[in-house]
Amino acid sequence: MYPPLHLQYLFDSQKDTTVMKCGHTMRSQCCNEMISRNKFSCPICSKSVMDMSMIWRRLDEEASLVNHFYLRCKRIHREVVASKIGF
């Protein structure tokens, strides 16, 4: 869940504000809370608020490892079945 959008005009606010990558402005405290909850998109336009390339790369690497492990287990399973039936 996103932090609430405040109806106060941010440029009159005495609290720190952050201009996100998409150009929208949000209170810094709310932006930090949003990121700490693993929400990385603007609550107004849904664009990423930060460069996600490193996170996507890490997810691709993890998916590759899982796929490699799955294929290895599948090969081992085939070998065990083949040895049981005498191939």
Side-chain angles (χ1 to χ4, degrees):
M1 182 170 175
Y2 288 114
L5 295 176
H6 303 283
L7 298 176
Q8 179 183 11
Y9 188 61
L10 291 177
F11 298 107
D12 289 343
S13 176
Q14 295 180 353
K15 296 185 178 186
D16 291 338
T17 58
T18 299
V19 178
M20 296 178 284
K21 186 177 170 186
C22 61
H24 289 112
T25 308
M26 178 183 256
R27 287 185 179 162
S28 296
Q29 179 183 359
C30 295
C31 187
N32 292 337
E33 181 181 336
M34 182 180 78
I35 291 171
S36 73
R37 294 179 182 204
N38 296 323
K39 305 293 182 191
F40 302 106
S41 60
C42 173
I44 298 168
C45 68
S46 298
K47 291 184 179 179
S48 294
V49 296
M50 58 183 15
D51 180 15
M52 300 292 288
S53 59
M54 187 173 78
I55 293 169
W56 298 133
R57 194 175 312 114
R58 188 178 309 146
L59 287 173
D60 287 342
E61 289 170 1
E62 288 178 13
S64 176
L65 288 173
V66 168
N67 188 42
H68 175 74
F69 179 74
Y70 169 76
L71 292 175
R72 186 173 178 187
C73 288
K74 189 175 177 181
R75 181 181 53 82
I76 291 170
H77 180 262
R78 252 184 286 140
E79 291 173 1
V80 168
V81 170
S83 69
K84 282 186 176 181
I85 59 174
F87 280 103

